[in-house]
Amino acid sequence: MCSAGNAYKHTGDEKYLPSVRRAAELLASRYSSATGAIKSWDNEQFSYPVIIDNMMNLELLTFASRLFGEKKWMDIAVSHADISSEQHFRDDNSSYHMVEFDPGDGHVVGKRTHQGYNDESAWSRGQAWGLYGFTMMYRETGLERFLGRAESIANFLLPLLSSSPVPAWDFNAPEPDIRQVDASAAAIMASALLELSTLTKDTVLARRCLRQAENTLLELGSDYYLAQKGECGGFILKHSTGHYLRNSEVDVPLTYADYYFLEALYRYKHLD
């Protein structure tokens, strides 16, 4: 969706459509009616893992559903979002990274936070995927329950971001680990908050979302985060975190940090 889908939306060139259709077909093939969700990983360690990241994939299905007249793809996207909303979130509106299901009858086997500090912690990029994903699903479907979920995630995140507009890799990490930040989580949150500010009917929340997005973008545009020309091999933002506990992609530039930073800037520029 980020490549061929956007290319078609912005150019209208039909040469991109076969890629969009094929990607949607492959994604939909990973759906199970028993679980009501799309399987994330083919990993023998887990029976049927579903990660919060995959909320981001649903825009491909909603877009392709309308484009090609495949209603079942929209139904799959809505079902996956409903299951994720029901199972991934804790009472405080933070989310687990992964929910494992039984592929036979769909019952929940376990809940984990694979890339976070521990299973019950709030991995920051996971919270960003949820905020963005449910905001996007409200835009795509108009279903109020998705807006409500996005608003509840925002209300969890905004107090945490007020003092640290670029969050730690995990909101619950202890010292000194919490000093490692994740610019990618910040960029995704900023883009999502900008869109949510235009969709929520809560005017107070809208102002809070807009103000926080502005603060985050200003921080990401500072000398600390913004790479100088030639500094990071063409990347824009420094100081992102992939998988901290495995020492994988720690304090590095990441593709999706740049992508959502640019998207957030574009959205901010075109705000009404």
Side-chain angles (χ1 to χ4, degrees):
M1 190 63 207
C2 297
S3 53
N6 277 335
Y8 175 72
K9 282 200 297 184
H10 289 290
T11 69
D13 192 330
E14 294 187 357
K15 72 180 181 182
Y16 298 109
L17 294 184
S19 295
V20 175
R21 177 184 278 277
R22 182 59 176 151
E25 289 171 346
L26 289 170
L27 182 59
S29 73
R30 299 184 64 80
Y31 174 77
S32 159
S33 58
T35 64
I38 299 165
K39 187 179 182 182
S40 299
W41 300 329
D42 292 326
N43 186 326
E44 293 182 358
Q45 184 180 353
F46 307 112
S47 55
Y48 197 101
V50 177
I51 59 176
I52 192 66
D53 316 39
N54 291 140
M55 284 298 302
M56 304 296 285
N57 295 353
L58 303 185
E59 187 175 9
L60 169 65
L61 293 180
T62 60
F63 178 70
S65 175
R66 289 191 296 270
L67 195 60
F68 301 112
E70 294 283 357
K71 181 180 181 297
K72 63 182 179 181
W73 292 347
M74 179 67 76
D75 293 340
I76 287 172
V78 170
S79 176
H80 183 101
D82 280 335
I83 292 297
S84 185
S85 182
E86 177 185 339
Q87 297 295 347
H88 271 89
F89 290 87
R90 308 181 181 98
D91 290 342
D92 66 355
N93 296 309
S94 66
S95 76
Y96 292 94
H97 180 198
M98 182 192 77
V99 177
E100 182 181 6
F101 296 89
D102 183 291
D105 61 14
H107 78 267
V108 173
V109 175
K111 300 185 179 185
R112 300 175 176 83
T113 300
H114 189 69
Q115 285 177 249
Y117 177 68
N118 61 41
D119 286 341
E120 297 302 323
S121 68
W123 173 50
S124 62
R125 193 164 59 250
Q127 314 313 304
W129 296 139
L131 175 67
Y132 191 110
F134 282 99
T135 301
M136 173 270 295
M137 280 300 290
Y138 174 66
R139 178 233 303 156
E140 292 291 296
T141 67
L143 294 172
E144 293 289 335
R145 61 183 181 270
F146 296 147
L147 176 61
R149 175 55 73 189
E151 290 170 335
S152 69
I153 300 169
N155 281 317
F156 169 75
L157 289 173
L158 287 168
L160 299 173
L161 295 172
S162 63
S163 58
S164 300
V166 177
W169 66 282
D170 190 300
F171 286 109
N172 300 112
E175 289 285 355
D177 295 341
I178 202 167
R179 298 173 192 171
Q180 180 58 51
V181 294
D182 184 9
S184 73
I188 299 159
M189 289 175 189
S191 188
L193 288 170
L194 284 170
E195 180 164 43
L196 183 57
S197 76
T198 70
L199 297 176
T200 181
K201 302 168 185 67
D202 183 336
T203 56
V204 174
L205 179 60
R207 287 194 297 271
R208 293 174 65 208
C209 289
L210 177 57
R211 188 181 308 117
Q212 183 57 62
E214 289 174 332
N215 290 341
T216 297
L217 289 176
L218 285 170
E219 186 71 15
L220 290 175
S222 69
D223 290 342
Y224 184 73
Y225 290 99
L226 198 64
Q228 298 300 309
K229 186 175 181 179
E231 183 179 1
C232 287
F235 282 92
I236 299 170
L237 292 179
K238 301 179 285 185
H239 307 307
S240 288
T241 303
H243 196 333
Y244 181 81
L245 293 182
R246 287 195 176 179
N247 197 31
S248 173
E249 298 178 325
V250 177
D251 198 13
V252 296
L254 292 176
T255 303
Y256 32 88
D258 285 5
Y259 179 90
Y260 290 104
F261 180 55
L262 290 175
E263 182 184 73
L265 292 172
Y266 180 87
R267 285 178 167 176
Y268 188 74
K269 182 178 180 179
H270 291 87
L271 279 176
D272 184 358

